Amino acid sequence: MWGNWSFLVWMSFMSLACSLVNAADTMSEIQDMIMELENENEVGEEVEQAVAVLFPWFIELLGVVAFLLLTRYAPALPYTAVLFLLGTLMGVGTSKLGLS
């Protein structure tokens, strides 16, 4: 009875060891990809800190304004669908204007 048990423990240990090795390989690949992206970012344009700080507040304000307009003038329109369309329009606008 203990012979089968020890075999199962051994197989579980080996499976865990293989998973850890694969995870270590994956982590090293991820670190390599991060280093490549950081090197590309140094060469390319950097985002200004003010833009990075103000962007979430601008989006929050846009959502509040959309909510107020929808609740007062168009209560039948779903809020999430309108925000999706606003985000899509913002994405298309930045890609067409070359602001990305």
Side-chain angles (χ1 to χ4, degrees):
M1 179 175 161
W2 290 105
N4 290 338
W5 178 258
S6 63
F7 177 73
L8 289 175
V9 169
W10 176 254
M11 290 303 292
S12 299
F13 175 74
M14 291 304 293
S15 174
L16 178 64
C18 290
S19 297
L20 291 175
V21 168
N22 289 338
D25 290 341
T26 305
M27 287 301 293
S28 65
E29 291 174 8
I30 290 173
Q31 288 174 347
D32 291 342
M33 289 179 3
I34 290 172
M35 293 299 291
E36 289 175 13
L37 289 173
E38 286 177 352
N39 291 338
E40 289 177 7
N41 192 19
E42 291 174 2
V43 175
E45 296 180 13
E46 291 187 22
V47 177
E48 291 184 28
Q49 292 179 357
V51 174
V53 170
L54 294 176
F55 180 74
W57 293 99
F58 172 73
I59 297 302
E60 186 74 26
L61 180 66
L62 182 67
V64 169
V65 169
F67 178 76
L68 290 175
L69 291 175
L70 287 175
T71 55
R72 294 181 187 206
Y73 302 111
L77 288 175
Y79 175 70
T80 53
V82 171
L83 286 185
F84 175 76
L85 290 176
L86 286 174
T88 303
L89 291 174
M90 288 174 59
V92 169
T94 56
S95 67
K96 293 293 182 184
L97 294 173
L99 299 174
S100 58

